[in-house]
């Protein structure tokens, strides 16, 4: 790979895991910024004091919490586009934000001659560490080709879906499916367990059938052991359902199943479980069926090891 100077904005759990994949990349010179400086310093790369200090980098990745954060770090008074003397060649945003906010940032970047790529991901920090992360990307194709080698250092799959904000819609569709599938798993697990079938046994059967998936295998330990250490919370899932159902409204697409799951996710948050992993939907389903769940002592794996 030709030497590339890269900046990374946002080194939380996901951002740090992704940036770490580039630390030892051939020809990659990485520097980082994070609101909590210590989290960026943990990467062992140069850490800058201001987001604007990364403006001279050829490529800058952003992994932030929401739409307002993205606009702040790119178009804000101390953002990547704030300096008249420098701007990145390509900005790659890996956050899950609204298409409207992304479009505003894209327009501001275009005025400065900066290629802006929407590049949301499928996976969490553990998936990143296993080299199984997936990207879906939209934006100027020339900009995409410039950063594709970097994306392939970070993840296993990279899918380019065209210009504009199409990648945002793909990611929202992905997360709607994530919620619906998790709720469906919760329902069948409770049904089987009330009939005397251990969760581990049902999931073992499902995972070795045509209905099994990387996701069902990955979630098996959490569902069997009742381990709700957060990888993705109901609060974050609710945000994506809100975005998805807004898009469905605008495009005239009925989504009755997704709308119901949105309310079940809301119920989990209302019950005070919003900071746990979204697999806690299983607990809510069990409660509604009058079933008290207990962790099962069974050997299971997540399919990533």
């Amino acid at each position: 790979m030709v030497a590339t100077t890269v900046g990374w904005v946002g080194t939380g759990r996901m951002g740090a895991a992704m940036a770490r994949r580039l630390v030892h990349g051939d020809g990659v010179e990485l520097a980082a910024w994070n609101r909590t400086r210590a989290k960026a310093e943990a990467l062992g790369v140069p850490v800058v004091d201001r987001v604007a200090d990364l403006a001279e980098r050829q490529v800058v990745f952003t992994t932030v919490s929401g739409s307002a954060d993205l606009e702040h770090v790119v178009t804000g008074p101390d953002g990547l586009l704030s300096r008249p003397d420098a701007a990145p060649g390509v900005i790659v945003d890996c956050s899950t934000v609204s298409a409207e906010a992304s479009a505003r940032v894209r327009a501001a970047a275009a005025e400065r001659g900066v290629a802006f790529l929407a590049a949301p991901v499928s996976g969490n920090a553990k998936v990143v560490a296993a080299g199984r992360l997936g990207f879906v990307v939209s934006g100027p194709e020339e900009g995409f080709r410039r950063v594709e080698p970097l994306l392939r250092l970070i993840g296993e799959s990279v899918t380019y879906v065209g210009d504009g904000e199409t990648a945002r819609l793909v990611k929202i569709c992905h997360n709607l499916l994530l919620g619906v599938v998790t709720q469906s798993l919760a329902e069948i697990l409770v049904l089987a367990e009330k009939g005397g079938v251990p969760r581990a046994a049902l999931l073992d059967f499902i995972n070795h059938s045509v209905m099994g998936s990387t996701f069902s295998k990955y979630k098996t330990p959490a569902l069997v052991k009742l381990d709700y250490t957060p990888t993705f919370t109901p609060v974050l899932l609710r945000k994506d359902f809100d975005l998805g159902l807004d898009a469905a409204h605008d495009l005239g697409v009925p989504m009755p199943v997704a709308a119901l799951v949105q309310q079940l996710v809301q119920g989990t948050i209302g019950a005070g479980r919003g900071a746990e992993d979204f697999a806690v939907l299983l607990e809510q389903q069990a409660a509604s069926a009058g079933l008290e769940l207990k962790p099962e002592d069974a050997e299971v794996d997540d399919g990533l090891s």
Side-chain angles (χ1 to χ4, degrees):
M1 176 184 292
V2 176
T4 304
T5 57
V6 179
W8 203 286
V9 176
T11 56
R13 185 162 55 240
M14 269 300 283
M18 294 167 66
R20 198 167 284 115
R21 303 278 300 181
L22 294 180
V23 169
H24 302 295
D26 184 27
V28 178
E29 299 176 15
L30 185 66
W33 177 90
N34 192 68
R35 186 175 288 111
T36 304
R37 187 183 180 92
K39 291 183 178 181
E41 290 174 339
L43 290 172
V45 301
V47 177
V48 300
D49 295 325
R50 306 178 306 147
V51 175
D53 294 334
L54 296 174
E56 296 177 3
R57 297 268 151 173
Q58 293 167 300
V59 179
V60 178
F61 286 81
T62 55
T63 48
V64 295
S65 297
S67 299
D69 298 302
L70 175 63
E71 294 193 77
H72 178 73
V73 300
V74 178
T75 61
D78 200 29
L80 292 170
L81 302 180
S82 65
R83 290 174 54 180
D85 62 325
V90 184
I91 297 174
V92 185
D93 179 58
C94 303
S95 317
T96 300
V97 301
S98 72
E100 293 76 14
S102 185
R104 289 193 293 270
V105 172
R106 182 183 304 282
E111 289 182 3
R112 293 292 304 277
V114 176
F116 180 79
L117 298 174
V121 300
S122 172
N124 56 40
K126 190 171 183 179
V127 174
V128 175
R132 301 287 296 276
L133 191 73
F135 285 96
V136 58
V137 187
S138 64
E141 186 171 4
E142 181 181 355
F144 167 70
R145 298 302 173 195
R146 287 175 61 185
V147 303
E148 185 178 7
L150 294 172
L151 298 177
R152 295 195 180 278
L153 284 176
I154 300 169
E156 179 181 49
S157 67
V158 180
T159 304
Y160 178 69
V161 293
D163 208 352
E165 307 307 324
T166 49
R168 305 291 186 192
L169 180 58
V170 172
K171 177 58 190 296
I172 292 301
C173 290
H174 170 280
N175 282 10
L176 289 173
L177 181 61
L178 185 74
V180 169
V181 168
T182 302
Q183 176 61 27
S184 295
L185 281 172
E187 292 177 14
I188 64 167
L189 286 167
V190 169
L191 173 63
E193 186 165 347
K194 280 208 93 171
V197 181
R199 296 188 301 279
L202 178 62
L203 284 166
D204 181 66
F205 174 71
I206 294 293
N207 289 338
H208 288 90
S209 76
V210 295
M211 295 303 296
S213 66
T214 299
F215 175 71
S216 67
K217 293 174 184 176
Y218 173 72
K219 272 303 178 194
T220 290
L223 296 169
V224 171
K225 305 294 185 181
L226 306 184
D227 179 2
Y228 304 125
T229 303
T231 61
F232 189 61
T233 66
V235 171
L236 293 174
L237 185 59
R238 178 181 62 183
K239 179 190 73 172
D240 291 345
F241 266 78
D242 290 345
L243 292 172
L245 292 174
D246 283 348
H249 176 272
D250 293 343
L251 295 171
V253 178
M255 300 192 74
V257 175
L260 175 58
V261 173
Q262 181 197 41
Q263 292 304 302
L264 293 170
V265 172
Q266 178 62 46
T268 299
I269 297 168
R273 309 294 293 270
E276 299 176 77
D277 189 78
F278 69 103
V280 78
L281 283 166
L282 175 65
E283 292 275 0
Q284 179 171 276
Q285 181 65 25
S288 68
L291 177 66
E292 182 180 355
L293 298 177
K294 295 181 180 179
E296 293 180 3
D297 184 17
E299 290 189 13
V300 293
D301 66 63
D302 60 10
L304 297 178
S305 303

